[in-house]
Every structure is written in structure tokens, then in C-alpha cells.
Amino acid sequence: MIRKIGIGLMILTLLFIPVGFADNDTNEREPFKGFKDVEASHYAYEAIMTMKELGIINGYDDGRFKPDGDVSRAEFAKMMVMALRIDLPRVTKSSFEDLNGNSWATRYVEAAKPYLTGYVTNSKYYFKPDAPAVREDMAVALVKALDKPIVSSTILDKYADRSTISEALKPYVATAIGNGLMQGSTNDSKWYFKPMGKLTRAEAAQLLMNVIQEEKIVFDDPVEEKVVFEDEFDASNLTIVEKDGGLYLEWAPISHSKFKGYKVVASTSDTTPKYPENGYYKYITNASTNSVLIKAGNSYNGGDVGTFKSDETYYFSITVLYDGETVTGNVVTVVMP
């Protein structure tokens, strides 16, 4: 999680950090003069210079920066951690099958995980640390680091290569485009996002500079897919009104890659009902279906309800089922009409 104070300090650092120097015999320092292959006219010149001064991206011994060179996924994770001042966790085991606790990249990847993408095949997670970071990965990092609200993916309809964007990443790519963070290019009057275009060192520097300044899942199919790591499992807020001779329950819809369903829960005696302890009225697996009408005479599965009765007081709640987790929200007390 980005520490707001850290971001503030980083911005102040950008404003007041002195130019880098090298010690000599007279205790005077020689100013850093830039890289041989990065002209002042380069679009990412300021970002590259700043990232160099902060030690986030370094040059090579021959005095070059290689702005068009590729950035690996592990390298980008480290850049994110350093630029956002994220605390490194103490880890002895990685979340990914292709990283171990002894790798230099493990702590950086674990720390930057909320802003990155991963891969899953047959329920095993992989990070592919040596693979190049690509443009759709950049979209996820930007949107999550800047905490931009997700927008409709219909904005992608104008892109001829829309189908090549990883399914789980489309909302993030759409949001990055909708907020002017990324755009794409045109060819023969058609727009292309180029989701698998490799992230260059110059682009990485500019991306992180933008973040600082503004403050892939497959279960049975062996084909891998990119997933996004959500930060947490949310509860859903419930409201109830009398309608059509019954109780109309409506709750906030959940959008999460591990969402499995909603359980509509009720009890006559437990003031904090939840699934599975108190049974359920209905199990809804469509994330966009977020309402139900309950009337006297409707039957109930388990718990102390049995059948809903008129003039009986009930405690209602919604339990959201995720893959491996259940979260129950608020409780509403109401009398059945």
C-alpha cells in the first residue's frame, strides 16, 4: 500500500534533491552530466534524470542509459517499490512457483504485488520475473497506484486489437485510457493499444514519474491467463424496503476475480446472521444480480427460519462468497409484511 507520507516526501525530494556528485581529492564534486544516449529533447529526459538521481533506475558503465532497452517484470517490481517507498516485507517463501525465498526479486515482488499482474495455471501462481513488462501491465500499475475508479470497458471498442488484451486486465486498460494515462497509436485509420508491447526503460521512468507526481485466472484449462491481485475481499451493503406485498432486498454488487456468489441470509434470533452458520434463502452466482423479493410463505434453507411468516421480525444480511473466503456485511432488522 502506498504510504501517503512517503509520497509527499518523495515529491519534496524531487523538488529539492541536489545533483549527484562523485568524491575527489579536493572534496569537490563533479555534477552528473547525463547519459550519452539521452538528449535533452527526449520525451522522458526529466523523468530519466530524476530516476537516476533517486537511484531508482541506473545507467551503464559506458555512460549510456539505453532508453529503448526492455525492463523485466522483476526489475519493474523493484522500481515500483523504490519509487513509492513501499516497505519491504520479511519473507522466506514466495507466493509464486517460479520465485524462491533466496531470489533478490522475491521481497520486491511481494511488496509490489498489489500493483502488479501474475499468471495462474492449474491453480498455481507464477510471476515470470525475467519476462519483459508490457503495456497492459503498465495500465494495471498506473490505475492501482493512482487509485483510479474503474470505468466501463466499452471505451476499448475503438481499438482493433481489443481482443488481444488479457481479459482480466481490460477494465484497467480501459481506465488508464479513460483517464488519459495511456492512449495507443493509429495505423491505417485504426486504433491499436498494443497490450503486449514491451515496456522500455524510458517508459518505466516516465510511468513512475507520473505516479509520484500525482501522488492474468484459469482453473481447469492448462492454458495460462493473466490475473490481477485485488487488495482485499469486500462486504456488500444491504438495504430493504417493503414492495409488492413483501420485502425487497438490494445490495451493492461486487466486482472481484475471486467472486463466487451472494448468500441471502436471515434469522429470527441471531442478530448477526451469516452464512453458513445461519443457512440461506437464496444463492446467487451472477455478480450483477443484486436484489431479491421475499414474501411470507417463502421457504428457507437451514437456520431457524424454515418458512417466512407475516408479522415476524427478521435479521437479514448478505454474505459474499469468494474463492477461499466469506465476508458478511451489515444487518437489517425488519418485520415481514
Side-chain angles (χ1 to χ4, degrees):
M1 180 176 182
I2 299 176
R3 298 189 305 171
K4 297 299 183 183
I5 294 178
I7 291 293
L9 291 175
M10 176 67 84
I11 294 173
L12 289 174
T13 301
L14 295 178
L15 295 173
F16 299 106
I17 188 168
V19 178
F21 297 90
D23 289 328
N24 58 32
D25 294 339
T26 60
N27 290 325
E28 293 181 355
R29 298 176 184 269
E30 181 180 352
F32 170 63
K33 297 179 180 179
F35 299 104
K36 296 177 181 178
D37 54 352
V38 182
E39 300 290 337
S41 58
H42 193 283
Y43 78 91
Y45 178 81
E46 293 297 335
I48 291 172
M49 295 303 109
T50 300
M51 295 299 108
K52 162 63 179 176
E53 297 299 342
L54 296 176
I56 295 172
I57 302 179
N58 295 314
Y60 293 85
D61 292 339
D62 62 0
R64 294 184 300 162
F65 179 75
K66 299 182 181 180
D68 296 324
D70 297 342
V71 175
S72 73
R73 289 168 56 79
E75 289 171 337
F76 185 66
K78 183 176 180 179
M79 293 175 192
M80 288 285 293
V81 169
M82 296 180 68
L84 301 179
R85 300 289 178 91
I86 304 172
D87 291 331
L88 285 175
R90 295 180 179 180
V91 295
T92 57
K93 185 178 181 180
S94 172
S95 302
F96 304 94
E97 299 290 325
D98 53 352
L99 274 175
N100 60 59
N102 296 322
S103 171
W104 70 266
T106 298
R107 295 180 69 194
Y108 292 103
V109 171
E110 294 297 324
K113 187 175 174 180
Y115 310 103
L116 306 176
T117 60
Y119 298 81
V120 65
T121 303
N122 292 335
S123 300
K124 290 186 177 181
Y125 290 92
Y126 299 86
F127 185 71
K128 296 190 178 183
D130 299 323
V134 296
R135 284 173 52 79
E136 62 178 14
D137 296 331
M138 188 194 316
V140 173
L142 277 173
V143 170
K144 302 196 85 174
L146 296 174
D147 197 25
K148 297 293 185 182
I150 299 298
V151 305
S152 172
S153 295
T154 56
I155 197 172
L156 300 177
D157 290 346
K158 78 171 185 177
Y159 290 86
D161 56 350
R162 183 187 194 282
S163 62
T164 66
I165 303 172
S166 296
E167 195 63 35
L169 274 60
K170 285 180 180 177
Y172 296 91
V173 172
T175 302
I177 293 171
N179 283 273
L181 304 175
M182 300 180 72
Q183 184 175 9
S185 58
T186 58
N187 186 20
D188 293 332
S189 301
K190 293 182 179 180
W191 277 94
Y192 293 88
F193 181 75
K194 298 181 180 179
M196 302 309 293
K198 296 178 181 178
L199 177 65
T200 67
R201 286 165 55 80
E203 289 171 333
Q206 189 63 63
L207 179 157
L208 294 173
M209 187 73 167
N210 292 344
V211 172
I212 290 171
Q213 288 179 323
E214 188 169 336
E215 240 261 18
K216 281 173 184 180
I217 252 190
V218 176
F219 297 97
D220 299 318
D221 191 338
V223 178
E224 69 182 8
E225 184 178 331
K226 272 189 180 178
V227 294
V228 177
F229 301 103
E230 288 89 354
D231 295 332
E232 59 185 19
F233 297 118
D234 294 323
S236 184
N237 188 64
L238 173 67
T239 59
I240 302 178
V241 296
E242 288 192 26
K243 182 179 180 181
D244 298 332
L247 298 176
Y248 182 76
L249 284 65
E250 186 173 17
W251 55 90
I254 295 293
S255 176
H256 197 288
S257 64
K258 291 190 175 183
F259 171 85
K260 294 183 66 178
Y262 307 108
K263 292 281 188 175
V264 180
V265 186
S267 176
T268 59
S269 59
D270 191 340
T271 59
T272 58
K274 59 183 178 180
Y275 177 82
E277 289 87 341
N278 299 98
Y280 67 98
Y281 169 66
K282 183 169 288 190
Y283 180 34
I284 301 171
T285 58
N286 186 336
S288 62
T289 301
N290 62 318
S291 63
V292 68
L293 180 65
I294 303 177
K295 295 185 176 183
N298 291 158
S299 60
Y300 190 87
N301 301 291
D304 59 6
V305 176
T307 300
F308 288 105
K309 301 177 181 178
S310 298
D311 299 322
E312 185 87 36
T313 298
Y314 294 95
Y315 303 98
F316 283 96
S317 66
I318 299 296
T319 294
V320 183
L321 278 66
Y322 297 94
D323 185 10
E325 185 71 53
T326 59
V327 182
T328 301
N330 64 305
V331 178
V332 177
T333 307
V334 65
V335 176
M336 178 66 68

